[in-house]
Amino acid sequence: MAHPALAERVPAGTGTIEAWWADGRGLPAPAVDALASTALAAAERRRFGAMADPLARTEFVLARSVLRGALGRARGCPPAEVPLDTDGGGRPLVPDAPDTDVSITHSGGVVAVALGTGLPPGTRIGVDIERVRPVARDGALARRYFSAAERAWLDSHSGPDRQRAWLDIWTRREAWAKALGTGLRGLSGVPDTHLVPDTRPGHGRCPLRLPRGFIGSLVALIPGRTVRSSLPPPPQPLTPKELP
């Protein structure tokens, strides 16, 4: 069952943005299979069937189910009949709705889905969540990707508070990078998220309401109304062992 991840719909120019989360932890495999059979389109069921990892299967079917359910309600059609495609980076998109943008994310069995409808041309949204946990090499990653202000704010925390602060900055940057379409390679070019107001989603970021132990951010980039920075040459991509 999906739960609201935003306290209210976020204005985005002439449109609105909504977000939901769903928790798949402990969901038995037969329930995951049953959901896949009813909520997914044929191509997605084939992709689901090729997945071997139980957690990946759960996160995939939950995210697509929540997204299709939201789009189906907006368009007045069954979820499995919503026309849904992916771009070259694997990002979901609605091919016949240029005023619609979507973003999905997952961590530790919890998924979050953001849907923007009626958006101004060129508007992009990004969402990212992380399970709160210790992050190996957090200092090195902060020096590589965080701004001076963000690092100073991070260093003002210690213990578990530092873990949450680090992940707060990381999810802000990930959400910006997803909205920009750059992925991990663009993280160092993201604006100083610590200084961007949280209360103006067209210019920055909205925190998400998530289950205990998770943290996340939603970003909307509206052309002509958003803080952008020129992207410097990207650093070398992170190795799997370096990823949070």
Side-chain angles (χ1 to χ4, degrees), residues 46-122:
R46 290 192 293 271
R47 180 177 170 184
F48 171 79
M51 294 179 175
D53 180 67
L55 180 61
R57 288 166 62 87
T58 298
E59 291 175 338
F60 177 77
V61 73
L62 272 183
R64 290 305 176 107
S65 173
V66 173
L67 175 58
R68 285 189 168 278
L71 286 167
R73 290 190 297 272
R75 299 167 68 98
C77 68
E81 295 180 11
V82 172
L84 199 60
D85 205 347
T86 56
D87 63 16
R91 175 189 172 101
L93 59 86
V94 186
D96 63 349
D99 65 345
T100 298
D101 197 37
V102 302
S103 183
I104 62 176
T105 183
H106 53 80
S107 177
V110 173
V111 304
V113 172
L115 169 64
T117 55
L119 302 175

Side-chain angles (χ1 to χ4, degrees), residues 3-189:
H3 304 270
L6 288 172
E8 57 187 8
R9 302 175 80 193
V10 175
T14 58
T16 56
I17 300 170
E18 297 177 271
W20 302 266
W21 62 265
D23 192 344
R25 293 172 294 176
L27 195 63
V32 175
D33 293 339
L35 185 60
S37 67
T38 58
L40 301 184
E44 292 168 332
R45 289 197 297 272
R46 290 192 293 271
R47 180 177 170 184
F48 171 79
M51 294 179 175
D53 180 67
L55 180 61
R57 288 166 62 87
T58 298
E59 291 175 338
F60 177 77
V61 73
L62 272 183
R64 290 305 176 107
S65 173
V66 173
L67 175 58
R68 285 189 168 278
L71 286 167
R73 290 190 297 272
R75 299 167 68 98
C77 68
E81 295 180 11
V82 172
L84 199 60
D85 205 347
T86 56
D87 63 16
R91 175 189 172 101
L93 59 86
V94 186
D96 63 349
D99 65 345
T100 298
D101 197 37
V102 302
S103 183
I104 62 176
T105 183
H106 53 80
S107 177
V110 173
V111 304
V113 172
L115 169 64
T117 55
L119 302 175
T123 299
R124 294 292 299 269
I125 61 177
V127 65
D128 188 64
I129 65 171
E130 291 288 347
R131 179 175 58 85
V132 177
R133 68 205 185 280
V135 176
R137 302 182 67 252
D138 63 339
L141 289 170
R143 289 190 295 273
R144 188 175 189 180
Y145 290 108
F146 296 175
S147 70
E150 289 168 335
R151 293 195 301 271
W153 183 70
L154 178 64
D155 290 340
S156 69
H157 297 74
S158 60
D161 287 343
R162 179 183 172 89
Q163 296 171 11
R164 190 171 184 88
W166 194 98
L167 290 166
D168 180 37
I169 298 171
W170 182 267
T171 59
R172 296 181 191 210
R173 287 192 163 265
E174 275 269 38
W176 273 87
K178 287 181 179 181
L180 288 169
T182 59
L184 284 172
R185 294 182 66 85
L187 280 179
S188 61

Side-chain angles (χ1 to χ4, degrees), residues 177-205:
K178 287 181 179 181
L180 288 169
T182 59
L184 284 172
R185 294 182 66 85
L187 280 179
S188 61
V190 168
D192 190 333
T193 65
H194 183 62
L195 301 180
V196 172
D198 289 351
T199 56
R200 302 169 64 197
H203 294 249
R205 152 273 189 190

